Amino acid sequence: MDGFTYINIFDTKGIEYLVIIGFLLLLIPFWRSLNKPLTVRAKVMSTLGVLTSNILKVPQGLFYSRNHTWTFLEKSGVASVGLDDLLLHITGQVHVNNLKVPGDKVRKGERIAEIAQNGGHLLIKSPISGEIQGVNKSLREGVGALNDDPYGGGWIYKIKPEKWTEETNSYFLANEATLWFKTELLRFKDFIAMSLNKYSPETAMVILQEGGELADNPLSGMPAEVWHDFQEHFLDKVS
Amino acid sequence: MNNQNAVLAKDNDGMPVLKFLAEAIKPKGTFFTPFNMISLPIMVLGFVIIVIRFIKGIGAVTNLTQEVPWGLWIGFDVVTGVAFAGGAYVITFMVYILNMKKYHSIVRVTVLNGFLAYVFYAGALLLDLGRPWNVINPIIGNSFGVSSILFLVAWHFLLYMIAMLIEFSPTIAEWIGNQRARKILSGMTLAAVIFGITLSTLHQSGLGALYLMASEKIHPLWYSEFIPILFFVSSIFAGLSMVIFEGSISQKVFDSQISEKNHRSHDGILHGLSKICTVTLFIYFFLQVLTFVHGKHWDLLNSPMGYWYLTEMIGFVLLPMGLFFYSYRKQNIFLIKLAALITMIGVIINRLNVTVVGFRWDAAVHYFPSWMEIVVTLTVLFVEIWIFRWIVTRLPVLRDSPSWVKKQSSKL
């Protein structure tokens, strides 16, 4: 047993070394979990992406109204009417309630549908006057087509227009529409900051922190009051 | 004198100096508030006790003895109060040295808070001195006493109060409307900040070092040669918790003073501070564990004082750390405020454990502060809050600076 000496872990400060090593090892997961991207923001960013004007679909040939609806005259002389991509990106998945049935006459600016999600709902105005010819029944079964293909399978009404040229000449066409969506998005950023601060200051910090891009579907999960304000500022006030 | 009058008069919409001062002294707002009604009688009583103390001596009003010469007035007013004033050096460091602009809106109120804390809590020291007039000796050199830690503490307190006054002085210049003075004083801010941080780091630990002399008197679980480091590290989260706590109250009480923009950014500020508290509490806990292991006092854990020690470590260090961590991750502002409150209680407990509870714990007769000591402590606290309120409602501390300040800053 020569050369072997019993070493007392207390006398040699062994425990202190172990504590320090333990601390340094703990520091790594502590620091990493503290600095992970914040949960709410990370969830929004990863699952929903970021809302910028680049991701919006703006097909050619459609007329875009300031009320965030679009209309397209088919060869048959009947026009399709639907919601534009910006509105659907802002709201996220919504349920459509039709307020009109085939045969009803509508005037431009008349409320024709309601879209709803949890507590919030918005009323949609008709972009043209005419007689309702058809209602998209597939939207009642599943809302997917509305968000995935807003300008095709996501149409809401077929309307036989009465004053097509007169009513659509002030609407945006493709390139103008792209520019207009950009300015609408900026206006929306201001709106959401203002409106959120009014009703829910803590959420405002999450959605708009660092003043960066908007998360996709920003209205989703917002209080009903914000939806109400949105209706007023983006769907009602404009002609 | 005429010249001075002219400057003041011109900048203050032509108001003469005397009228300006008279306006300033007049009370504002309602007088009969619950806070006033509770604090006023206590303050009156406190002043009476202070007068008795100066006529009849310390023994007449306190339970202090030769064995326990330092009690609540030192342990709470000075040692704990200064720890809570630590927010000033942390926030000025973040804003002026690290350039974290986000926290700029709370610099003034934090510095004011720190300044008043030092003036009052260090001022309360005079109550505890047998011959208070001798307090000037280490400054004028009648007897420097350079080998004493008190020498360091005395000079640091004095210099740090001056540094904080300089940091705060642009606000006073804005109040009286003297543009030239503001320009000169705000030019001195950075130097004062750097000087102040240096002093703070030294005397926060210096306060702990005072107790190194009492190694035999303090319970071994709280005494170690690392008290200065522990005091310094804990002053960071103590100060920031105070900032969170005080800020949350100010947001409500001085609601009308705070601009919409600052209201909005306040939650973000608390959120940022909670992260710093998490990290410093983590480091502090580790230091405490290391100190404990180094002290080899395992056997003491299984005793009443040991349980109390474990309560402090688990309930008031680990728990608030976890709470800060959780609330930071979840961005839960309410929990951040709760964690700050628990941390503050923890700091008070820790400082009192070192200075009062663990001090002469083995004596036959335990020291417990007399009711008069407690009343005087409350008086000091309330007078500070009254003055704080007086300043905040008059000077541009929480509200935005006058418009000419922006013009002046953009010219620089």
Side-chain angles (χ1 to χ4, degrees), chain B residues 111-162:
Chain B
V111 169
L112 174 65
N113 214 1
F115 175 69
L116 290 179
Y118 272 83
V119 170
F120 278 88
Y121 303 153
L125 204 63
L126 291 182
L127 303 178
D128 224 345
L129 294 177
R131 298 179 197 148
W133 53 90
N134 278 350
V135 77
I136 199 80
N137 283 348
I139 309 295
I140 59 171
N142 187 11
S143 169
F144 274 130
V146 279
S147 55
S148 167
I149 295 170
L150 274 175
F151 170 75
L152 175 141
V153 173
W155 268 94
H156 275 202
F157 273 23
L158 178 77
L159 292 177
Y160 189 48
M161 279 190 255
I162 296 172

Side-chain angles (χ1 to χ4, degrees), chain A residues 10 13 15-16 19-20 23 26-27 30-31 33-40 197 202 205-206 209, chain B residues 260 264 267-268 271 275 278-279 282-283 286 289-290 293-294 296 298 321 325 328-331 333:
Chain A
F10 289 99
K13 298 188 188 301
I15 295 219
E16 284 161 57
V19 168
I20 293 172
F23 165 75
L26 255 180
L27 186 63
F30 174 81
W31 190 251
S33 54
L34 185 68
N35 286 298
K36 258 192 302 187
L38 288 167
T39 37
V40 183
N197 265 308
E202 282 175 29
M205 191 176 80
V206 181
Q209 64 177 335
Chain B
E260 181 67 33
R264 228 180 295 156
D267 283 352
H271 185 239
K275 186 179 179 180
T278 315
V279 177
F282 182 76
I283 294 170
F286 158 73
V289 172
L290 195 62
V293 170
H294 182 78
K296 295 185 214 163
W298 304 89
M321 185 199 88
F325 187 97
Y328 172 75
R329 298 293 316 165
K330 296 284 172 198
Q331 298 178 315
I333 302 297

